[in-house]
Amino acid sequence: NNNNNNNNNNQESSTKSNTKKTQPPQMAAVANLHLATKEELLAELEQRQDAEMEAAIENEDDDDAEFQHGWISGGDFPERVTVIGGGPAGLSAAIYAARAGLTPVVVAPPLGGQLQGKGVDVENYPGLEDITGPGVVSKMRDQAIQFGAVFESETVLAIDISQTPYKVITNSSSSSSTPIQTHSIIVATGAESNWLGIPGEYELRGGGVSSCATCDGALYAGQHVVVVGGGDTAMEDALVLARTSQSVTLVHRRDTFRASKVLAQRVMEHPSIHIQWNTIVTEIKGNSPQVVDDNRKDEEEDNVDLDNVDSTTTTTTPQVVSGVVLQNIETKDETILPCHAVFVAIGHTPTTSFLEGIVDFDPDHPGYVLTQGKSTRTSVPGIFAAGDVSDSVYRQAITSAGSGAAAALDAERWLSEEGLGNEAQEFEAELLAELLNDSINSPEKEEMYYYNAYESAGGRMENMKESLGTAAAAAEL
């Protein structure tokens, strides 16, 4: 038996040894990829593919969890508050409305908005650091969900106010005839930056192309930057950037600014701001900063080099702005101006086209919703505006969040003034009261309220009285 056990142990150890030999070797560290053999690289590639697959499965689980907080159509009662927009204004309104017990419905596409598209860190929102725009939006959504807000990942096409409750028509409800019925609406769809539409502009957003100097200007302190535009926004951006940047080149397609005289004069007199008149930007150039490792001079001949580089290993990173192509509109001459960032300041367009003919707009700022006094109320009772749709001056994430909170408070007060409470709870209370009233007035009420368990048991109550009396008499004796 001992010999058999020894033989078995030898066989097991031999099998384990063979297994170890047949397994593909694992990479000791990612830094040693340039020293890896072909077999080792294939093993590392397989591991990374498995990790990506696991990450994709986790993302699916996250999507399923978010779906649990989605809006379900076909309810018996209208919504009390519907928020249109998923940026800081809309989510702030959702948080305030949810904490007030209004269970708001937030209608917004899963992607979109200026903050959602901000790939760099948000540095000018108090209390937040080391977090990007999408990270801020994600935290706001989680907080709104925590207090009871629900989400509908759709785009709003129109609003029907011909009768109450109002109807919010989305891209899916337009075909299925199931719009969202609601008593009040908070519009927080924001304003989209106008872009040049030139090569390199879209590809380099987050890599040096921006539409907000206040947001991203500090990232390029001590560097050369370009501002495109000729209005007040362009002047303000140029002056803000001139405080921290080494130089600012302002590109304008005309020979005079359309900005206010005071701002234009300050820009033209500033020593760090250079103006390119009668000039347009036709392309934004970018390059990929490269990280080079020079410690490969003594590598062995059998090592695999995927990039076919003899003496260096190159790691590709996302592209960043390296310059702009300028064209003089009179001479058509083109020049390349090296720079590190391009700020496009040619205006904003509020996302309010679906409100045309419904609410009043600001006559001084076309496209922006006109609000009443210092409130967020619009010309239509029950419709409120928050964020960049009604703010043509500041257009900041934090000011949008503040106006979103104000809109939720205004909506809550308006619902109270109109006597529009929680209709579902009120219906349940009325139904319960009606059932209780019916049971009290039923013919069987006397039997129900004067039921005697002893009598229904055959008169045992009288016997119990007699026995109690007998026991009392016995006690007296």
Side-chain angles (χ1 to χ4, degrees), residues 105-241:
V105 177
V106 182
V107 186
L111 297 177
Q114 296 185 61
L115 190 60
Q116 180 71 26
K118 184 178 174 65
V120 297
D121 287 349
V122 177
E123 297 181 339
N124 58 351
Y125 200 108
L128 297 181
E129 55 183 348
D130 298 329
I131 186 171
T132 62
V136 175
V137 172
S138 177
K139 285 184 175 293
M140 288 182 173
R141 285 175 63 95
D142 292 342
Q143 189 174 358
I145 290 173
Q146 176 186 352
F147 292 113
V150 294
F151 287 79
E152 175 74 344
S153 298
E154 299 288 348
T155 300
V156 174
L157 302 180
I159 293 177
D160 182 4
I161 62 169
S162 59
Q163 59 183 357
T164 57
Y166 302 144
K167 295 179 181 179
V168 177
I169 302 171
T170 65
N171 53 343
S172 62
S173 64
S174 61
S175 58
S176 61
S177 300
T178 57
I180 301 174
Q181 298 191 33
T182 181
H183 289 302
S184 65
I185 298 172
I186 297 176
V187 180
T189 47
E192 296 291 336
S193 300
N194 296 333
W195 297 96
L196 299 169
I198 59 177
E201 181 182 48
Y202 178 81
E203 295 81 1
L204 292 169
R205 291 189 197 177
V209 175
S210 173
S211 62
C212 182
T214 304
C215 308
D216 304 328
L219 300 174
Y220 305 96
Q223 302 184 48
H224 302 280
V225 300
V226 170
V227 176
V228 182
D232 284 349
T233 301
M235 303 299 111
E236 293 169 356
D237 285 359
L239 291 170
V240 167
L241 292 167

Side-chain angles (χ1 to χ4, degrees), residues 274-317:
H274 311 285
I275 303 173
Q276 292 278 354
W277 300 104
N278 299 316
T279 303
I280 60 174
V281 178
T282 60
E283 183 180 357
I284 301 177
K285 296 286 188 179
N287 58 19
S288 298
Q290 297 179 341
V291 179
V292 180
D293 182 7
D294 293 325
N295 298 324
R296 292 193 56 213
K297 295 182 179 180
D298 299 329
E299 65 180 4
E300 297 180 0
E301 293 182 357
D302 60 344
N303 290 340
V304 177
D305 184 0
L306 297 179
D307 294 328
N308 295 322
V309 180
D310 294 334
S311 60
T312 60
T313 298
T314 303
T315 303
T316 302
T317 58

Side-chain angles (χ1 to χ4, degrees), residues 337-358:
L337 176 68
C339 65
H340 300 93
V342 178
F343 293 88
V344 181
I346 56 175
H348 294 76
T349 301
T351 311
T352 55
S353 59
F354 64 96
L355 294 175
E356 292 182 2
I358 297 177

Side-chain angles (χ1 to χ4, degrees), residues 60-135:
E60 290 178 0
D61 295 339
D62 293 340
D63 293 340
D64 293 339
E66 185 174 351
F67 180 75
Q68 296 175 359
H69 304 284
W71 178 75
I72 301 176
S73 62
D76 296 327
F77 301 96
E79 306 296 337
R80 283 172 288 172
V81 178
T82 297
V83 181
I84 305 176
L91 294 176
S92 178
I95 291 171
Y96 269 73
R99 292 185 74 251
L102 299 177
T103 315
V105 177
V106 182
V107 186
L111 297 177
Q114 296 185 61
L115 190 60
Q116 180 71 26
K118 184 178 174 65
V120 297
D121 287 349
V122 177
E123 297 181 339
N124 58 351
Y125 200 108
L128 297 181
E129 55 183 348
D130 298 329
I131 186 171
T132 62

Side-chain angles (χ1 to χ4, degrees), residues 318-352:
Q319 285 199 338
V320 296
V321 170
S322 61
V324 293
V325 178
L326 303 178
Q327 183 186 71
N328 186 289
I329 61 175
E330 295 179 346
T331 64
K332 304 301 180 182
D333 293 338
E334 289 190 349
T335 57
I336 296 179
L337 176 68
C339 65
H340 300 93
V342 178
F343 293 88
V344 181
I346 56 175
H348 294 76
T349 301
T351 311
T352 55

